[in-house]
Structure formats: structure tokens, C-alpha cells
Amino acid sequence: MIYTAIDIGASSGRVMVGELKEGKLDIQEIHRFANGFIQKDGHCFWDIDHLLKQVLQGLQKVKALGHERCTVGIDTWAVDYVLLDEKGNRLREVMSYRDRRTDHTIGKLEHTLTKDTIYQKTGIQFQPFNTIYQLYEEKRELLKKTDKVMMVPDYLGYCLTGKAVTEITNASTTQLLNVSTGKLDPELLQAVSVQEQQFAPLTEPGRELGMLRNDWFPDYDLPTCKVMTVATHDTASAVIAAPGVNDSWAYISSGTWSLIGVENKLPILTDLALKNNYTNERGANNTIRFLKNIIGMWVIQEVRQQLQADYSFQQLAEEARKTEPFQQFINLNDERFLNPDSMIEEIEHYCRETRQKIPRTAGELACCIHSNLAIIYAIAIKELETITEKPIEQLHIIGGGARNDFLNQLTADMSGKAVYAGPIEATAIGNLLMQMIAAKEVKDIKEARQAVRNSFPIKVFTPKDIDRSKMIQSFQQTVLKALSKR
């Protein structure tokens, strides 16, 4: 059986095929494409038609390889959605979570519902771009015309099959799903003027969505495809492929965003979890992904685009190696770095405000970003151990960031944990594995992770003996100084 994973992130997408051979995964990337939001009329939008076109081109390449039949799963980033009328037409283009319309919405909603109330209901961390805040800012006339609110991967599946669902791992990121009942919360829906029937029925990963409607796409030579609903939130798919063993490991799903957390059976809704802004998102197999959202490689992506010379990410990491780390302490999680006009200038402003050395060269900028990401990771690991009351012995870095040896070593040094890097294509692999579990070719998540360990190289980074507590203390003091300047 051939399985096809369509994995679309905020900056790129890929189509991969895979099969299981004697307990090992054999995967092949057959199509890769760029993604990114478009600035229009003062707002940020995704080109969803471009994404659908790339999905179809990828599936056409699957058939060109000789695969007449396959199963297909789609995963994307979280929180963003499509508004459809009763005929299934989009009411407007798909707005990006990086749009600034929700900058102050958390405070607005607090007049109706307190943070504590929302957290006890959902267990979801407070991010200004969460779906609940995006819907709050929608025009009420537009919401009245809306027949369906569909998350992005569910919408792409709908375009292929005509079948509408709301997959639960992505639904949990909306901050509208009640963590106790597993259903959309009526009080939260009312607060954003949306009704439960405006969402398609909730479904779990591993369910069949429907057959690809080849007749809808006469310009493409497509295989016969059974479309499966996988863990459609890309992080949920990635965690399936995290090759951890037992309960003493954590993960960093490292891409445009870095998601750092552990896998739990039950949510953690304590005051400490709320204070540190940890989230309880649904995972595959009725698990809870207890994690924190960290800005991740977005900062280096933006810096790379703004540099005059054409550096690859690998070259930037090599340039960073030539510079002394920890020369600046910057809270990259500050909202000012979410979508600034110029990332380089924003870093310079932060350093100037806090009287720190301003990074000038490509290597200094890259080293500054990598050093501070490592510190932020280390702080989050310590928080996880405190909140969960469990020691973390191993840290698995999965996703594109797993290939960044420089950052991986800094992370090991700052956290004091052994870092295991890989697999790189964790999200697509997890997508494929979910399809294999649904097809009963793989027994369960445990067997899936064993297949990952059998199939892909995992690189180990051992922590060096450094004064990590001094670095963390300096970082925290500088963060307080930056806040006092506001």
C-alpha cells in the first residue's frame, strides 16, 4: 500500500509518499512548494487556491510515479480558518494568524470572560492569534452569512472530497474546545457570535474522510485516492513521529514555530500551568500535548530574507559558529517579533533599549538568535519539569530544526539534557504513520515510534559543562529591563 502525506507549513509545503518494508519506513519527497502570506489592503492573507493547486500537482506526480491508488492525509499549521456560505463558496480570502487585527483582542474578551475561566474550560495557552480572538474580530454581518467555519486542512480535504469535518487536534487549538467534554464550548462560542452548527462535526485522527473526486479536476491526471483525516495539526502529526521511549522525554517540534512539551494522558489546568502559559492540545490516540509555543525559526527566516547576501540556513549556522554566543539576551517570544516591519531593525531596537551590543554581521545576528532560542528552550524545559513534577532525561528535536547542529548543541548545553535530533521530516512521517495505523499495517503509536527508530538516523548532542544558570539569570534580568522601558 502506498500512503501520501500532504504536509503544509507556514513557509513551505511538501508531498511525500511512503510505505512500510520489513518494519522500516521508506519515504520519498515528490513535490515541494513555497508558502507564505500575502499583504493586501493592510491585512495578511494566505493564497489558499495556490495551496490546493500544489496539492493537486503533487497527487498528479504520485500517479506519474506509477501509483494508481493510494491513501492521502493532509496536515497544516493551526488556528486559521475558512468562512464558507451555504453553497460552499468562500466568503473572503483566508486571513493569516500573523495579521495584526487581534493584537489587543485578549484584553477585549476579558471584559466578558476572565483568563482563568477560559483556561479552565479549554486548557489552551493565550496567544493573540488563537481562533477565538480571530473570530471575535470578524464582522458580525459576515458571520451571519457563514454556513461553515472550517480549519485550513479540513477545508483542503473538503475541496478534494466534498466532505466536511472538524478534526479534533486542530479544533483544540482554536481555544473553543472544552477540554473536559471534548466538545465546542457553548459559552465561548456565544462570546464570539458563532453557533456550534457552523462547525462541521468533530472527528478523531485515523478516520476515512472520503474518496478524491477526480471528476472535479479534469485538468489533472490523478490517482484513485482515499482521503484520510490524520492528525491535521502539523505538530500533532510531528509528535507521532517523535522517537521517545518511556515517560522521561520531551520534544521540540522545530520549524517556523518551536513547540516544546511532553505527551500526557490528562490535561494540566493548574495555576502554575496558566501562569507560564502552557497549553493542553489534543494529540493522536486520545493524548494531550502539554506544550508551550515558542517563536522558533521564524526569526532567522525573516533575517535571512532581509540580508543583502544570499545565505542558506546552513551557511547562517556556520557563520554563527564563528561568533561568541550569548552576547545579547533577547526575549524572542515578545510580541514585537511576531511580525515586525523589519526583524533586523527590531532586534537592533531591543538591544539599543537594553544597552546591549548590537549584532551587525550575518554571523552575529544568527548567533544572537540561536543563543536566545537555546536559553528560551532551557527555561521551558525547567518549567515543564516543575509543572509536571517529572524529570526530563531526553530532549527530542524533530522537524526541520533537527538539522541545525549549532542550535542543537547550544540547546543541550543550556538545558543540561541529552538532545536527540531527528527525524527531520517528522510531520510528514507522522502523517504517514497515522494512515498506516488506520489501515492496520501498524498496530499503534508505540509500534509507529519503533518504526521511526528503525528507519531514520538520530544524532545525539551531549551537554557541555557551562555556567547555564548565569546565562539564564542574565536573560531574565534583561527581559525585565526591556519591559520597564515600555
Side-chain angles (χ1 to χ4, degrees):
M1 170 72 78
I2 289 294
Y3 304 90
T4 305
I6 298 166
D7 168 33
I8 306 175
S11 56
S12 66
R14 61 214 47 81
V15 179
M16 302 187 76
V17 295
E19 56 186 325
L20 196 64
K21 296 180 178 178
E22 298 180 353
K24 289 188 176 183
L25 287 164
D26 181 19
I27 65 171
Q28 178 185 3
E29 181 183 296
I30 60 168
H31 186 54
R32 182 174 284 263
F33 52 93
N35 189 27
F37 58 82
I38 301 163
Q39 299 274 2
K40 182 180 177 182
D41 299 327
H43 291 286
C44 303
F45 298 94
W46 300 107
D47 188 348
I48 200 76
D49 291 324
H50 163 73
L51 297 181
L52 179 59
K53 181 180 178 181
Q54 295 302 321
V55 167
L56 293 168
Q57 287 182 3
L59 291 176
Q60 186 168 256
K61 289 180 180 180
V62 172
K63 186 170 183 181
L65 287 173
H67 304 303
E68 295 288 336
R69 306 180 70 87
C70 67
T71 68
V72 180
I74 303 172
D75 67 76
T76 77
W77 67 97
V79 305
D80 288 341
Y81 54 86
V82 187
L83 300 177
L84 302 179
D85 66 17
E86 59 185 10
K87 293 182 179 180
N89 299 315
R90 291 199 306 269
L91 289 167
R92 64 155 169 73
E93 294 308 306
V94 183
M95 201 165 283
S96 168
Y97 63 85
R98 291 199 186 274
D99 189 81
R100 305 300 297 269
R101 64 181 175 151
T102 59
D103 280 0
H104 306 291
T105 313
I106 292 177
K108 292 180 186 178
L109 193 55
E110 274 193 277
H111 294 303
T112 305
L113 293 164
T114 66
K115 278 188 173 182
D116 185 66
T117 297
I118 295 173
Y119 195 74
Q120 290 304 313
K121 283 176 173 290
T122 68
I124 298 300
Q125 67 181 329
F126 290 87
Q127 299 278 13
F129 47 72
N130 287 351
T131 312
I132 188 172
Y133 305 117
Q134 293 197 50
L135 287 171
Y136 186 91
E137 295 295 342
E138 291 288 357
K139 294 178 180 178
R140 295 298 173 258
E141 299 78 24
L142 189 63
L143 289 177
K144 287 178 182 178
K145 296 177 184 177
T146 298
D147 181 65
K148 285 289 177 286
V149 181
M150 298 192 71
M151 307 304 287
V152 167
D154 295 329
Y155 173 71
L156 292 172
Y158 172 76
C159 290
L160 298 181
T161 67
K163 303 293 178 62
V165 298
T166 304
E167 191 276 318
I168 202 159
T169 68
N170 219 332
S172 70
T173 71
T174 64
Q175 211 168 21
L176 292 166
L177 190 77
N178 190 295
V179 73
S180 300
T181 66
K183 297 179 181 180
L184 294 168
D185 187 88
E187 189 177 12
L188 297 177
L189 290 172
Q190 183 180 12
V192 296
S193 303
V194 175
Q195 298 179 5
E196 185 177 3
Q197 60 265 32
Q198 288 178 287
F199 283 86
L202 291 163
T203 191
E204 296 280 347
R207 306 288 174 82
E208 181 178 342
L209 180 62
M211 297 302 295
L212 171 65
R213 292 295 301 270
N214 298 52
D215 55 312
W216 290 353
F217 310 103
D219 295 336
Y220 295 87
D221 184 21
L222 302 170
T224 300
C225 295
K226 181 191 291 185
V227 182
M228 303 297 298
T229 300
V230 294
T232 62
H233 182 199
D234 49 12
T235 307
S237 274
V239 172
I240 295 172
V245 181
N246 301 322
D247 297 323
S248 59
W249 58 278
Y251 57 82
I252 300 179
S253 181
S254 178
T256 301
W257 289 91
S258 290
L259 296 307
I260 181 165
V262 296
E263 193 173 64
N264 287 338
K265 293 180 180 178
L266 297 172
I268 299 175
L269 305 174
T270 61
D271 291 343
L272 193 57
L274 170 59
K275 178 183 176 182
N276 289 284
N277 210 23
Y278 274 79
T279 200
N280 294 270
E281 296 173 0
R282 290 288 294 268
N285 198 32
N286 294 311
T287 55
I288 298 291
R289 290 175 291 116
F290 185 70
L291 60 86
K292 191 169 195 173
N293 209 1
I294 292 169
I295 200 164
M297 304 309 291
W298 161 255
V299 183
I300 199 73
Q301 290 168 5
E302 287 292 287
V303 166
R304 177 174 173 260
Q305 287 184 359
Q306 293 165 19
L307 289 169
Q308 297 299 316
D310 187 18
Y311 289 96
S312 68
F313 291 116
Q314 182 63 33
Q315 287 171 330
L316 282 174
E318 290 304 316
E319 289 299 311
R321 284 183 187 275
K322 302 173 186 177
T323 302
E324 185 70 21
F326 309 113
Q327 294 299 296
Q328 298 87 12
F329 299 103
I330 300 178
N331 180 19
L332 298 175
N333 270 340
D334 193 303
E335 289 180 12
R336 67 195 292 173
F337 298 110
L338 183 61
N339 189 19
D341 293 332
S342 168
M343 188 66 76
I344 293 175
E345 289 181 7
E346 200 65 46
I347 290 171
E348 290 175 352
H349 291 330
Y350 193 100
C351 291
R352 196 172 290 113
E353 289 169 12
T354 51
R355 300 184 181 277
Q356 299 186 87
K357 177 184 176 183
I358 296 174
R360 300 292 187 187
T361 68
E364 287 173 352
L365 281 162
C367 190
C368 167
I369 293 164
H370 287 84
S371 296
N372 282 282
L373 279 176
I375 292 173
I376 293 169
Y377 292 165
I379 291 171
I381 285 289
K382 188 64 178 175
E383 289 172 349
L384 275 171
E385 289 183 316
T386 301
I387 296 168
T388 63
E389 299 179 346
K390 292 180 182 178
I392 293 170
E393 296 173 3
Q394 300 175 358
L395 180 59
H396 288 269
I397 297 182
I398 54 178
R403 61 165 62 93
N404 190 326
D405 290 357
F406 179 63
L407 178 55
N408 294 340
Q409 185 60 60
L410 285 178
T411 302
D413 295 345
M414 282 306 306
S415 66
K417 311 294 182 184
V419 166
Y420 296 76
I424 293 167
E425 294 290 356
T427 305
I429 292 167
N431 182 322
L432 293 167
L433 286 167
M434 193 71 247
Q435 295 178 58
M436 293 176 183
I437 292 170
K440 301 189 185 313
E441 192 167 356
V442 173
K443 181 181 177 182
D444 53 23
I445 300 293
K446 182 178 180 181
E447 188 172 296
R449 287 173 175 155
Q450 182 61 55
V452 173
R453 291 191 291 273
N454 292 343
S455 307
F456 303 101
I458 307 296
K459 197 167 184 178
V460 183
F461 297 83
T462 304
K464 296 175 183 175
D465 185 19
I466 65 169
D467 192 350
R468 56 184 65 91
S469 60
K470 180 181 178 182
M471 300 295 184
I472 291 173
Q473 185 179 35
S474 297
F475 174 87
Q476 292 170 330
Q477 289 173 346
T478 306
V479 168
L480 291 173
K481 186 187 298 183
L483 289 172
S484 70
K485 298 292 182 180
R486 294 189 177 182

